[in-house]
Amino acid sequence: MDKLTFFSQCLSLLGDQEFVMDSPAARACELWFPSVMLEAVSYGPWSFATKEAVLECPEGNGRFPLPEDCLKLLKVEAGCWRMAGREVVCEEAPSLLQVRFLSNDVALAEMLPDHEPLFVEAVKCLLASKVAATVTGKPQNVSVFLELYRRYASDALYHDVSQRGSNDQHPLKDILDRSIL
């Protein structure tokens, strides 16, 4: 979904009929959209924003620079490690390090994933909460949309994680298909 369609849908939640360029509502949407996307992607380990990489240690001292698009580390394949700025420091100083991380590519692309409708709804509600006071003049709408964001984001993450773990096969299929003769 492109930004303009998304902004129009968001403003319709607030009672505005359409997105008009250079209006106060449009400027508020443009202002808040980048930080709203980063906040929504940071909410959890979304499958569409998760990446894996093998990091190299350029100096051999156990300090691995994070990928440029790393928003948050999810897993590091090392026994003892810590963060130091934008580097992973490993005590055992391997030459390669496997990591899983949340990428900010989705947040920076300014396109929402069409295949994740609950996530899109969550982001809509979060953006509505940020621009509600400006657009409607009713600050009480902020808490309403924040609560809706939390519900949609929680449901979206639950469905995302549930789908990731599904292989849609019977757990005993291999055993049942074997012949005992």
Side-chain angles (χ1 to χ4, degrees), residues 5 7 9-10 13 17 22 28 32 34 50-51 60-61 66 68 81 97 105 109 147 153 156-157 170 172-174 179:
T5 304
F7 290 166
Q9 290 179 1
C10 181
L13 285 176
Q17 278 70 34
D22 294 327
W32 283 103
T50 301
K51 289 184 176 181
N61 59 0
L66 291 174
E68 288 295 317
W81 62 276
L97 182 66
D105 284 348
E147 183 57 33
L157 190 58
H170 190 283
L172 300 175
K173 183 179 180 340
D174 287 341
S179 172

PDB file of all heavy atoms in Angstrom, residues 5 7 9-10 13 17 22 28 32 34 50-51 60-61 66 68 81 97 105 109 147 153 156-157 170 172-174 179:
ATOM      1  N   THR A   5      -2.522   6.490  -0.089  1.00  0.00           N
ATOM      2  CA  THR A   5      -3.699   5.673   0.225  1.00  0.00           C
ATOM      3  C   THR A   5      -3.784   5.428   1.722  1.00  0.00           C
ATOM      4  O   THR A   5      -4.841   5.550   2.342  1.00  0.00           O
ATOM      5  CB  THR A   5      -3.644   4.326  -0.528  1.00  0.00           C
ATOM      6  OG1 THR A   5      -3.522   4.576  -1.918  1.00  0.00           O
ATOM      7  CG2 THR A   5      -4.856   3.477  -0.237  1.00  0.00           C
ATOM      8  N   PHE A   7      -2.453   7.266   4.149  1.00  0.00           N
ATOM      9  CA  PHE A   7      -2.808   8.504   4.840  1.00  0.00           C
ATOM     10  C   PHE A   7      -4.302   8.802   4.712  1.00  0.00           C
ATOM     11  O   PHE A   7      -4.933   9.234   5.668  1.00  0.00           O
ATOM     12  CB  PHE A   7      -2.003   9.693   4.295  1.00  0.00           C
ATOM     13  CG  PHE A   7      -0.542   9.674   4.641  1.00  0.00           C
ATOM     14  CD1 PHE A   7       0.339  10.521   3.981  1.00  0.00           C
ATOM     15  CD2 PHE A   7      -0.020   8.841   5.614  1.00  0.00           C
ATOM     16  CE1 PHE A   7       1.687  10.536   4.288  1.00  0.00           C
ATOM     17  CE2 PHE A   7       1.329   8.837   5.931  1.00  0.00           C
ATOM     18  CZ  PHE A   7       2.185   9.692   5.264  1.00  0.00           C
ATOM     19  N   GLN A   9      -6.721   6.638   4.348  1.00  0.00           N
ATOM     20  CA  GLN A   9      -7.442   5.710   5.223  1.00  0.00           C
ATOM     21  C   GLN A   9      -7.301   6.111   6.686  1.00  0.00           C
ATOM     22  O   GLN A   9      -8.256   6.034   7.457  1.00  0.00           O
ATOM     23  CB  GLN A   9      -6.951   4.285   5.007  1.00  0.00           C
ATOM     24  CG  GLN A   9      -7.357   3.705   3.688  1.00  0.00           C
ATOM     25  CD  GLN A   9      -6.835   2.304   3.479  1.00  0.00           C
ATOM     26  OE1 GLN A   9      -6.163   1.728   4.323  1.00  0.00           O
ATOM     27  NE2 GLN A   9      -7.159   1.735   2.329  1.00  0.00           N
ATOM     28  N   CYS A  10      -6.121   6.546   7.054  1.00  0.00           N
ATOM     29  CA  CYS A  10      -5.871   6.979   8.437  1.00  0.00           C
ATOM     30  C   CYS A  10      -6.720   8.206   8.783  1.00  0.00           C
ATOM     31  O   CYS A  10      -7.349   8.263   9.844  1.00  0.00           O
ATOM     32  CB  CYS A  10      -4.390   7.277   8.618  1.00  0.00           C
ATOM     33  SG  CYS A  10      -3.965   7.803  10.279  1.00  0.00           S
ATOM     34  N   LEU A  13     -10.309   7.496   9.465  1.00  0.00           N
ATOM     35  CA  LEU A  13     -10.555   7.033  10.840  1.00  0.00           C
ATOM     36  C   LEU A  13     -10.844   8.205  11.772  1.00  0.00           C
ATOM     37  O   LEU A  13     -11.612   8.084  12.723  1.00  0.00           O
ATOM     38  CB  LEU A  13      -9.335   6.282  11.398  1.00  0.00           C
ATOM     39  CG  LEU A  13      -9.058   4.878  10.927  1.00  0.00           C
ATOM     40  CD1 LEU A  13      -7.749   4.379  11.527  1.00  0.00           C
ATOM     41  CD2 LEU A  13     -10.193   3.949  11.292  1.00  0.00           C
ATOM     42  N   GLN A  17     -12.436  13.520   5.415  1.00  0.00           N
ATOM     43  CA  GLN A  17     -12.906  12.796   4.246  1.00  0.00           C
ATOM     44  C   GLN A  17     -11.793  12.407   3.283  1.00  0.00           C
ATOM     45  O   GLN A  17     -11.800  11.346   2.726  1.00  0.00           O
ATOM     46  CB  GLN A  17     -13.947  13.632   3.480  1.00  0.00           C
ATOM     47  CG  GLN A  17     -15.335  13.537   4.066  1.00  0.00           C
ATOM     48  CD  GLN A  17     -15.453  14.230   5.422  1.00  0.00           C
ATOM     49  OE1 GLN A  17     -14.810  15.239   5.663  1.00  0.00           O
ATOM     50  NE2 GLN A  17     -16.264  13.684   6.305  1.00  0.00           N
ATOM     51  N   ASP A  22      -0.499  19.410   1.414  1.00  0.00           N
ATOM     52  CA  ASP A  22      -0.166  20.672   2.080  1.00  0.00           C
ATOM     53  C   ASP A  22      -1.225  21.167   3.061  1.00  0.00           C
ATOM     54  O   ASP A  22      -1.172  22.321   3.485  1.00  0.00           O
ATOM     55  CB  ASP A  22       0.158  21.768   1.058  1.00  0.00           C
ATOM     56  CG  ASP A  22       1.431  21.459   0.285  1.00  0.00           C
ATOM     57  OD1 ASP A  22       2.338  20.847   0.888  1.00  0.00           O
ATOM     58  OD2 ASP A  22       1.510  21.805  -0.899  1.00  0.00           O
ATOM     59  N   ALA A  28       0.919  16.775   9.152  1.00  0.00           N
ATOM     60  CA  ALA A  28       1.036  15.971  10.373  1.00  0.00           C
ATOM     61  C   ALA A  28       1.323  14.509  10.024  1.00  0.00           C
ATOM     62  O   ALA A  28       2.175  13.872  10.654  1.00  0.00           O
ATOM     63  CB  ALA A  28      -0.234  16.088  11.212  1.00  0.00           C
ATOM     64  N   TRP A  32       4.853  12.521  11.112  1.00  0.00           N
ATOM     65  CA  TRP A  32       4.872  11.395  12.033  1.00  0.00           C
ATOM     66  C   TRP A  32       5.135  10.046  11.386  1.00  0.00           C
ATOM     67  O   TRP A  32       5.535   9.096  12.066  1.00  0.00           O
ATOM     68  CB  TRP A  32       3.550  11.334  12.799  1.00  0.00           C
ATOM     69  CG  TRP A  32       3.473  12.343  13.881  1.00  0.00           C
ATOM     70  CD1 TRP A  32       2.784  13.525  13.871  1.00  0.00           C
ATOM     71  CD2 TRP A  32       4.132  12.290  15.145  1.00  0.00           C
ATOM     72  NE1 TRP A  32       2.974  14.192  15.051  1.00  0.00           N
ATOM     73  CE2 TRP A  32       3.799  13.453  15.856  1.00  0.00           C
ATOM     74  CE3 TRP A  32       4.985  11.368  15.751  1.00  0.00           C
ATOM     75  CZ2 TRP A  32       4.265  13.715  17.138  1.00  0.00           C
ATOM     76  CZ3 TRP A  32       5.451  11.620  17.024  1.00  0.00           C
ATOM     77  CH2 TRP A  32       5.093  12.783  17.704  1.00  0.00           C
ATOM     78  N   PRO A  34       7.466   8.486   9.442  1.00  0.00           N
ATOM     79  CA  PRO A  34       8.717   7.731   9.632  1.00  0.00           C
ATOM     80  C   PRO A  34       8.881   7.163  11.045  1.00  0.00           C
ATOM     81  O   PRO A  34       9.239   5.991  11.212  1.00  0.00           O
ATOM     82  CB  PRO A  34       9.816   8.757   9.312  1.00  0.00           C
ATOM     83  CG  PRO A  34       9.144   9.773   8.448  1.00  0.00           C
ATOM     84  CD  PRO A  34       7.723   9.839   8.932  1.00  0.00           C
ATOM     85  N   THR A  50      12.312  -9.575   9.508  1.00  0.00           N
ATOM     86  CA  THR A  50      13.426 -10.310  10.115  1.00  0.00           C
ATOM     87  C   THR A  50      14.402 -10.770   9.043  1.00  0.00           C
ATOM     88  O   THR A  50      13.999 -11.284   8.004  1.00  0.00           O
ATOM     89  CB  THR A  50      12.898 -11.530  10.901  1.00  0.00           C
ATOM     90  OG1 THR A  50      12.007 -11.068  11.910  1.00  0.00           O
ATOM     91  CG2 THR A  50      14.023 -12.304  11.543  1.00  0.00           C
ATOM     92  N   LYS A  51      15.673 -10.567   9.315  1.00  0.00           N
ATOM     93  CA  LYS A  51      16.732 -11.003   8.404  1.00  0.00           C
ATOM     94  C   LYS A  51      17.794 -11.765   9.189  1.00  0.00           C
ATOM     95  O   LYS A  51      17.907 -11.615  10.408  1.00  0.00           O
ATOM     96  CB  LYS A  51      17.421  -9.800   7.740  1.00  0.00           C
ATOM     97  CG  LYS A  51      16.591  -9.074   6.728  1.00  0.00           C
ATOM     98  CD  LYS A  51      17.431  -7.986   6.078  1.00  0.00           C
ATOM     99  CE  LYS A  51      16.712  -7.274   4.971  1.00  0.00           C
ATOM    100  NZ  LYS A  51      17.571  -6.248   4.365  1.00  0.00           N
ATOM    101  N   GLY A  60      39.675  -8.981  13.716  1.00  0.00           N
ATOM    102  CA  GLY A  60      40.022 -10.189  14.446  1.00  0.00           C
ATOM    103  C   GLY A  60      39.996 -10.028  15.960  1.00  0.00           C
ATOM    104  O   GLY A  60      40.553 -10.853  16.679  1.00  0.00           O
ATOM    105  N   ASN A  61      39.363  -8.980  16.450  1.00  0.00           N
ATOM    106  CA  ASN A  61      39.344  -8.718  17.892  1.00  0.00           C
ATOM    107  C   ASN A  61      38.008  -9.055  18.550  1.00  0.00           C
ATOM    108  O   ASN A  61      37.757  -8.672  19.693  1.00  0.00           O
ATOM    109  CB  ASN A  61      39.683  -7.251  18.154  1.00  0.00           C
ATOM    110  CG  ASN A  61      38.727  -6.295  17.473  1.00  0.00           C
ATOM    111  OD1 ASN A  61      37.798  -6.709  16.798  1.00  0.00           O
ATOM    112  ND2 ASN A  61      38.977  -5.009  17.637  1.00  0.00           N
ATOM    113  N   LEU A  66      27.373  -4.181  13.188  1.00  0.00           N
ATOM    114  CA  LEU A  66      26.029  -4.587  12.788  1.00  0.00           C
ATOM    115  C   LEU A  66      25.752  -4.161  11.349  1.00  0.00           C
ATOM    116  O   LEU A  66      26.306  -3.173  10.872  1.00  0.00           O
ATOM    117  CB  LEU A  66      24.990  -3.930  13.701  1.00  0.00           C
ATOM    118  CG  LEU A  66      24.943  -4.414  15.133  1.00  0.00           C
ATOM    119  CD1 LEU A  66      23.961  -3.564  15.943  1.00  0.00           C
ATOM    120  CD2 LEU A  66      24.549  -5.870  15.199  1.00  0.00           C
ATOM    121  N   GLU A  68      23.911  -2.291   8.358  1.00  0.00           N
ATOM    122  CA  GLU A  68      23.366  -0.929   8.327  1.00  0.00           C
ATOM    123  C   GLU A  68      21.874  -0.894   8.637  1.00  0.00           C
ATOM    124  O   GLU A  68      21.382   0.039   9.261  1.00  0.00           O
ATOM    125  CB  GLU A  68      23.616  -0.284   6.961  1.00  0.00           C
ATOM    126  CG  GLU A  68      25.059   0.086   6.708  1.00  0.00           C
ATOM    127  CD  GLU A  68      25.563   1.174   7.642  1.00  0.00           C
ATOM    128  OE1 GLU A  68      24.821   2.150   7.876  1.00  0.00           O
ATOM    129  OE2 GLU A  68      26.683   1.032   8.146  1.00  0.00           O
ATOM    130  N   TRP A  81      28.361 -12.646  24.712  1.00  0.00           N
ATOM    131  CA  TRP A  81      28.469 -11.463  23.856  1.00  0.00           C
ATOM    132  C   TRP A  81      27.794 -10.286  24.540  1.00  0.00           C
ATOM    133  O   TRP A  81      27.017 -10.439  25.471  1.00  0.00           O
ATOM    134  CB  TRP A  81      27.844 -11.718  22.490  1.00  0.00           C
ATOM    135  CG  TRP A  81      26.377 -12.019  22.538  1.00  0.00           C
ATOM    136  CD1 TRP A  81      25.790 -13.223  22.770  1.00  0.00           C
ATOM    137  CD2 TRP A  81      25.311 -11.080  22.369  1.00  0.00           C
ATOM    138  NE1 TRP A  81      24.429 -13.100  22.760  1.00  0.00           N
ATOM    139  CE2 TRP A  81      24.090 -11.785  22.518  1.00  0.00           C
ATOM    140  CE3 TRP A  81      25.250  -9.715  22.111  1.00  0.00           C
ATOM    141  CZ2 TRP A  81      22.855 -11.178  22.411  1.00  0.00           C
ATOM    142  CZ3 TRP A  81      24.007  -9.105  22.002  1.00  0.00           C
ATOM    143  CH2 TRP A  81      22.835  -9.846  22.153  1.00  0.00           C
ATOM    144  N   LEU A  97      30.188 -14.581  12.668  1.00  0.00           N
ATOM    145  CA  LEU A  97      29.137 -14.595  13.678  1.00  0.00           C
ATOM    146  C   LEU A  97      27.768 -14.566  12.993  1.00  0.00           C
ATOM    147  O   LEU A  97      27.494 -13.661  12.202  1.00  0.00           O
ATOM    148  CB  LEU A  97      29.281 -13.378  14.607  1.00  0.00           C
ATOM    149  CG  LEU A  97      28.293 -13.269  15.758  1.00  0.00           C
ATOM    150  CD1 LEU A  97      28.502 -14.403  16.755  1.00  0.00           C
ATOM    151  CD2 LEU A  97      28.461 -11.928  16.449  1.00  0.00           C
ATOM    152  N   ASP A 105      14.341  -1.870   6.935  1.00  0.00           N
ATOM    153  CA  ASP A 105      14.023  -1.682   5.517  1.00  0.00           C
ATOM    154  C   ASP A 105      12.537  -1.411   5.283  1.00  0.00           C
ATOM    155  O   ASP A 105      12.176  -0.540   4.498  1.00  0.00           O
ATOM    156  CB  ASP A 105      14.435  -2.908   4.691  1.00  0.00           C
ATOM    157  CG  ASP A 105      15.928  -2.976   4.460  1.00  0.00           C
ATOM    158  OD1 ASP A 105      16.624  -1.978   4.740  1.00  0.00           O
ATOM    159  OD2 ASP A 105      16.406  -4.046   4.013  1.00  0.00           O
ATOM    160  N   ALA A 109      11.071   2.127   3.777  1.00  0.00           N
ATOM    161  CA  ALA A 109      10.619   2.010   2.385  1.00  0.00           C
ATOM    162  C   ALA A 109       9.390   2.866   2.077  1.00  0.00           C
ATOM    163  O   ALA A 109       9.093   3.115   0.920  1.00  0.00           O
ATOM    164  CB  ALA A 109      10.313   0.554   2.048  1.00  0.00           C
ATOM    165  N   GLU A 147      -4.854   2.590  22.238  1.00  0.00           N
ATOM    166  CA  GLU A 147      -5.385   1.300  22.687  1.00  0.00           C
ATOM    167  C   GLU A 147      -5.709   0.408  21.495  1.00  0.00           C
ATOM    168  O   GLU A 147      -5.416  -0.793  21.501  1.00  0.00           O
ATOM    169  CB  GLU A 147      -6.620   1.500  23.565  1.00  0.00           C
ATOM    170  CG  GLU A 147      -7.184   0.224  24.123  1.00  0.00           C
ATOM    171  CD  GLU A 147      -6.205  -0.608  24.932  1.00  0.00           C
ATOM    172  OE1 GLU A 147      -5.319  -0.037  25.608  1.00  0.00           O
ATOM    173  OE2 GLU A 147      -6.307  -1.852  24.883  1.00  0.00           O
ATOM    174  N   ALA A 153      -1.746  -4.511  16.986  1.00  0.00           N
ATOM    175  CA  ALA A 153      -0.345  -4.945  16.924  1.00  0.00           C
ATOM    176  C   ALA A 153      -0.169  -6.288  17.616  1.00  0.00           C
ATOM    177  O   ALA A 153       0.527  -7.173  17.103  1.00  0.00           O
ATOM    178  CB  ALA A 153       0.566  -3.890  17.543  1.00  0.00           C
ATOM    179  N   ALA A 156      -1.776  -8.904  15.382  1.00  0.00           N
ATOM    180  CA  ALA A 156      -0.963  -9.064  14.173  1.00  0.00           C
ATOM    181  C   ALA A 156       0.294  -9.868  14.468  1.00  0.00           C
ATOM    182  O   ALA A 156       0.667 -10.772  13.708  1.00  0.00           O
ATOM    183  CB  ALA A 156      -0.592  -7.701  13.597  1.00  0.00           C
ATOM    184  N   LEU A 157       0.952  -9.570  15.584  1.00  0.00           N
ATOM    185  CA  LEU A 157       2.173 -10.292  15.939  1.00  0.00           C
ATOM    186  C   LEU A 157       1.863 -11.747  16.279  1.00  0.00           C
ATOM    187  O   LEU A 157       2.598 -12.658  15.879  1.00  0.00           O
ATOM    188  CB  LEU A 157       2.886  -9.606  17.110  1.00  0.00           C
ATOM    189  CG  LEU A 157       4.275 -10.119  17.428  1.00  0.00           C
ATOM    190  CD1 LEU A 157       5.202  -9.990  16.225  1.00  0.00           C
ATOM    191  CD2 LEU A 157       4.853  -9.358  18.610  1.00  0.00           C
ATOM    192  N   HIS A 170       0.733 -32.996   9.314  1.00  0.00           N
ATOM    193  CA  HIS A 170       0.393 -33.801  10.474  1.00  0.00           C
ATOM    194  C   HIS A 170       1.695 -34.208  11.165  1.00  0.00           C
ATOM    195  O   HIS A 170       2.641 -34.654  10.499  1.00  0.00           O
ATOM    196  CB  HIS A 170      -0.394 -35.042  10.025  1.00  0.00           C
ATOM    197  CG  HIS A 170      -0.994 -35.794  11.163  1.00  0.00           C
ATOM    198  ND1 HIS A 170      -0.261 -36.611  11.964  1.00  0.00           N
ATOM    199  CD2 HIS A 170      -2.266 -35.818  11.633  1.00  0.00           C
ATOM    200  CE1 HIS A 170      -1.045 -37.145  12.889  1.00  0.00           C
ATOM    201  NE2 HIS A 170      -2.269 -36.673  12.705  1.00  0.00           N
ATOM    202  N   LEU A 172       2.523 -36.777  12.788  1.00  0.00           N
ATOM    203  CA  LEU A 172       2.867 -38.204  12.689  1.00  0.00           C
ATOM    204  C   LEU A 172       2.869 -38.707  11.250  1.00  0.00           C
ATOM    205  O   LEU A 172       2.910 -39.904  11.018  1.00  0.00           O
ATOM    206  CB  LEU A 172       1.893 -39.035  13.526  1.00  0.00           C
ATOM    207  CG  LEU A 172       1.865 -38.716  15.019  1.00  0.00           C
ATOM    208  CD1 LEU A 172       0.787 -39.527  15.701  1.00  0.00           C
ATOM    209  CD2 LEU A 172       3.210 -38.966  15.647  1.00  0.00           C
ATOM    210  N   LYS A 173       2.824 -37.803  10.275  1.00  0.00           N
ATOM    211  CA  LYS A 173       2.715 -38.190   8.868  1.00  0.00           C
ATOM    212  C   LYS A 173       3.837 -39.146   8.456  1.00  0.00           C
ATOM    213  O   LYS A 173       3.576 -40.169   7.833  1.00  0.00           O
ATOM    214  CB  LYS A 173       2.727 -36.956   7.974  1.00  0.00           C
ATOM    215  CG  LYS A 173       2.543 -37.291   6.486  1.00  0.00           C
ATOM    216  CD  LYS A 173       2.542 -36.055   5.655  1.00  0.00           C
ATOM    217  CE  LYS A 173       2.364 -36.276   4.186  1.00  0.00           C
ATOM    218  NZ  LYS A 173       2.629 -37.538   3.605  1.00  0.00           N
ATOM    219  N   ASP A 174       5.083 -38.850   8.794  1.00  0.00           N
ATOM    220  CA  ASP A 174       6.204 -39.717   8.400  1.00  0.00           C
ATOM    221  C   ASP A 174       6.062 -41.115   8.997  1.00  0.00           C
ATOM    222  O   ASP A 174       6.305 -42.108   8.338  1.00  0.00           O
ATOM    223  CB  ASP A 174       7.536 -39.104   8.842  1.00  0.00           C
ATOM    224  CG  ASP A 174       7.924 -37.903   8.007  1.00  0.00           C
ATOM    225  OD1 ASP A 174       7.386 -37.761   6.893  1.00  0.00           O
ATOM    226  OD2 ASP A 174       8.747 -37.113   8.482  1.00  0.00           O
ATOM    227  N   SER A 179       5.957 -48.302   6.202  1.00  0.00           N
ATOM    228  CA  SER A 179       5.452 -49.659   6.213  1.00  0.00           C
ATOM    229  C   SER A 179       6.149 -50.447   7.323  1.00  0.00           C
ATOM    230  O   SER A 179       7.350 -50.262   7.557  1.00  0.00           O
ATOM    231  CB  SER A 179       5.726 -50.331   4.864  1.00  0.00           C
ATOM    232  OG  SER A 179       5.403 -51.701   4.933  1.00  0.00           O
TER     233      SER A 179
END
